[in-house]
Structures are given as C-alpha cells and as structure tokens.
Amino acid sequence: AASGPSEVAMETALAADQKEKGAPRGLLSYCLLKAAQEQHFLSNYNDLWIAANKIMNTITKQRGVRQSIQLLFTDAANPLQREFCQPCSSAEIKAFERRRLQDPRATPIC
C-alpha cells in the first residue's frame, strides 16, 4: 500500500468500506475481480483492463486521488485476442512444448 506520511493508503480505506467477509483488500485485486465478475469472466485482457480502470477511477475519484491500472504483456501476446479465463487449446499447449524443447527458458503464452 502506498501513501504519504499523513495519508491513509487507498487499500486501507477500501478495506474499511468492505463489510463482507473474504472481500479482496488490495485496490488492484478488488478492481480486477469486480471487472471480471461484471463481465461474467468472459472478456479479453484489453476489455478487462478497461472495465477495471473504470472501477478504479470511480473509487479514486470519490477519494480525490488518481490511480490507474497498467497491465504488461510480452511482445508475442495480443491482449485483444487472448481471453482472460479461457483455457489453452491443445494446439497451443503442443506449440509451447515444442518451443520449450528449443528454449528451456520459454514461458507459457496461455
């Protein structure tokens, strides 16, 4: 949580507002989870990012501050085409396995 010496961290203020048990406490986690729920977990990363930023802007505006969400992707990723909660296809898994044989440091794209 980040805040100045005389400020209350946004996450602390958000946690105080949350009454339900098990509610996410971090502002980023809260915004991303709420956006995913609103979209029924059926969106690409770009749409999830836009929805989460709208939620973030609503919350931070009420408190007179400005924060934004930034998601980072590799050069090979396309946030407009990759679905947020969609499992990898068997073809993608096989392609990754082939790539990992060539480069053991390769990371999954899905």
Side-chain angles (χ1 to χ4, degrees):
S3 64
S6 63
E7 301 171 327
V8 174
M10 187 66 66
E11 287 79 2
T12 304
L14 182 64
D17 291 348
Q18 301 300 313
K19 303 297 183 220
E20 64 269 11
K21 259 190 164 184
R25 298 297 187 226
L27 185 59
L28 175 62
S29 299
Y30 176 82
C31 293
L32 286 170
L33 183 57
K34 185 142 179 80
Q37 288 171 336
E38 287 177 0
Q39 296 178 351
H40 306 287
F41 297 92
L42 300 172
S43 68
N44 61 41
Y45 278 91
N46 191 65
D47 292 342
L48 177 69
W49 172 74
I50 290 169
N53 263 308
K54 286 180 182 176
I55 295 166
M56 172 81 76
N57 290 339
T58 300
I59 292 170
T60 56
K61 229 186 236 184
Q62 293 169 349
R63 291 178 166 79
V65 296
R66 179 81 167 100
Q67 289 183 325
S68 297
I69 296 172
Q70 181 179 16
L71 299 179
L72 302 175
F73 301 92
T74 67
D75 292 340
N78 184 343
L80 294 172
Q81 293 180 344
R82 172 60 57 198
E83 295 299 313
F84 172 61
C85 286
Q86 180 182 12
C88 293
S89 69
S90 60
E92 287 176 305
I93 293 170
K94 288 177 186 175
F96 170 69
E97 291 301 326
R98 283 193 303 272
R99 201 176 53 220
R100 189 165 55 179
L101 289 174
Q102 294 171 351
D103 180 4
R105 297 170 298 157
T107 56
I109 58 171
C110 54

